[in-house]
Every structure is written in C-alpha cells, then in structure tokens.
Amino acid sequence: MEPQYSPVLAIDGPSGAGKGTIARLVARRLGWHLLDSGALYRLVALAAESHAIGLEREDGLVTLAGHLDVQFIDNGEAETRIILEGDDVTDAIRSERCGDAASRAAALPGVRTALLDRQRAFREPPGLVADGRDMGTVVFPDAWLKVFLTASAEERAKRRYKQLKQKGLNVSLSALLEDIAARDRRDASRSVAPLRPADNAVVIDTTALDVDQVTQRVLALVSASGEGQK
Ligand code: C5P
C-alpha cells in the first residue's frame, strides 16, 4: 500500500516568539494535527522531578524520555489537556521552573534521541503543524514548509509576562527577561540540534506584529504553496 502523504509545517523559534499560539491557530484552520514538542521536554523535566532523578543523570532521563506515560487530549478547548502518569499536568508544565529544567534536559543528546520517534509519530494525514526548536532542522528535515518565528528578547519577555499573569502566576518582568536570555543562550549553543533557522526556512520577525497578523502571514505562505487547498 502507498504510504499516505502527510505534509509537515515546521514552526521553530526561540521561547516566547508566539510559536505555540500560532501553531495551534494554523493547525485549527487547516484541520491538521499539532505537535507541541516543547511540552515533551517539559514532561521529561516534570517526570524527573517526581521520580527524584537529577537533571545531571542523563541515563535516568533517557529512560524516562523513552517511556513517558503521557496522553494528549484535545477537546477542542483553547488548550490540549496533558495527562502524565494519570495526573493532569497541563498547567504544571507551564511554570518557568519547569521550562528552565526542560531546557537543561533538552541539552542532553540522549534525551533528544529518545524523543525522536515519539515526535515523528504525530505525523499523520491530513498533515501536521510541528512547533519547536528543531522541527525543520532535525525532526522533520523534509518538512514541506518551514517557518522560523522570532522577536526581540524584550518583546518575548513581555508576552510571557502577560501569559503568566493571565494564568494567575506571580512573576517579575526583569526575571523573565534574564530567564529568556539564559534559555536562548543554552538553546543556541548546545552541541545537538542548536536553535537556528533551517536553510530553507522563512524567517518572520514578530516583534511588531500581533497574533492575527502572524497567523495571516503563515496562512498566506501555506496557500502560496498550494497545500492548504488539497
Ligand atoms: O517551547 P517550550 O518553551 O515549551 O520548550 C521548553 C524547552 O524545551 C525549550 O527552552 C528548549 O530548551 C526545549 N525544546 C527543545 N527542542 C524542541 C522544543 C523545546 O530543545 N523542539
């Protein structure tokens, strides 16, 4: 039997560039599946904490990453519910602490390899919108369209601040800015899958654009390639 054609739209970029929101909106518009790859790294970090496995123990983290007991439940709500070992961790994985631990776990080559198959399994017809740091470079190098979203560190910190405030979390803007800068450095300088646009990615600077404008630009790229109309 012919394998079914499942195009991938890769949306990569640094923390807070708006990838998550844009990826979700575009996936809904196209009726495609969605992969939030950052959530997988966050889940590894959370599972490590609950199993008391230190972030320096690559072997333990690799085993965890290869056996994550997780379900993604899309009820058509604004957020996909994420269940880890029977517990709803949708909100717990979004804390800055978990994001920081995730970026440390993500710097370990073994952890990245252990998550590869799980990420690729999201590729199913009619298509996949994949959000992350290395979707276009490593996980789906054959993605049909690659977009790299970026924005100034200040603007990204402001967006994160608003998001966390809305969730009722207490954070300081200056601490967020420092955290974003530290995470950018770690993500861009790690030896495996460092954060960078794929050679054939379309780079969109979203600093002065709102969610709607970015979504329209990405959808325009999709229709220019003819894919969304199949
Ligand atoms: O995107 P999000 O902030 O949820 O990702 C959390 C962390 O996971 C990032 O800071 C990054 O270090 C790591 N990550 C990664 N590769 C991906 C997605 C996320 O290294 N594809």
Side-chain angles (χ1 to χ4, degrees), residues 214-230:
V214 182
T215 308
Q216 292 312 324
R217 285 209 190 178
V218 175
L219 287 171
L221 291 170
V222 170
S223 43
S225 75
E227 191 59 56
Q229 297 127 33
K230 273 190 188 163

Side-chain angles (χ1 to χ4, degrees), residues 135-226:
M135 299 295 99
T137 50
V138 176
V139 182
F140 303 107
D142 63 334
W144 132 90
L145 179 61
K146 300 177 186 182
V147 173
F148 191 89
L149 296 185
T150 178
S152 71
E154 288 73 18
E155 176 62 24
R156 290 185 283 127
K158 270 193 230 157
R159 290 178 189 169
R160 192 68 111 193
Y161 180 80
K162 242 172 95 181
Q163 239 177 17
L164 294 172
K165 278 272 170 195
Q166 272 166 3
K167 285 183 188 249
L169 297 170
N170 204 12
V171 282
S172 104
L173 185 58
S174 59
L176 275 180
L177 183 55
E178 264 176 46
D179 194 55
I180 280 197
R183 237 196 278 175
D184 281 357
R185 273 195 300 276
R186 200 178 304 131
D187 289 351
S189 64
R190 68 182 170 221
S191 60
V192 273
L195 175 67
R196 64 167 179 81
D199 292 337
N200 48 350
V202 179
V203 179
I204 303 178
D205 183 341
T206 72
T207 306
L209 302 176
D210 65 20
V211 168
D212 199 42
Q213 288 170 314
V214 182
T215 308
Q216 292 312 324
R217 285 209 190 178
V218 175
L219 287 171
L221 291 170
V222 170
S223 43
S225 75

Side-chain angles (χ1 to χ4, degrees), residues 12-16 19-20 36-42 93-94 98-107 112 119 131-135 139 160 183-184 186-187 190 192-193:
D12 289 305
S15 305
K19 301 181 307 284
D36 170 5
S37 61
L40 291 173
Y41 290 96
R42 288 171 181 266
I93 61 162
R94 298 298 164 197
C98 192
D100 187 67
S103 113
R104 291 171 198 277
R112 303 198 73 84
Q119 294 176 83
D131 149 19
R133 305 288 188 293
D134 60 345
M135 299 295 99
V139 182
R160 192 68 111 193
R183 237 196 278 175
D184 281 357
R186 200 178 304 131
D187 289 351
R190 68 182 170 221
V192 273

Side-chain angles (χ1 to χ4, degrees), residues 5-21:
Y5 174 62
S6 294
V8 175
L9 162 54
I11 303 188
D12 289 305
S15 305
K19 301 181 307 284
T21 309

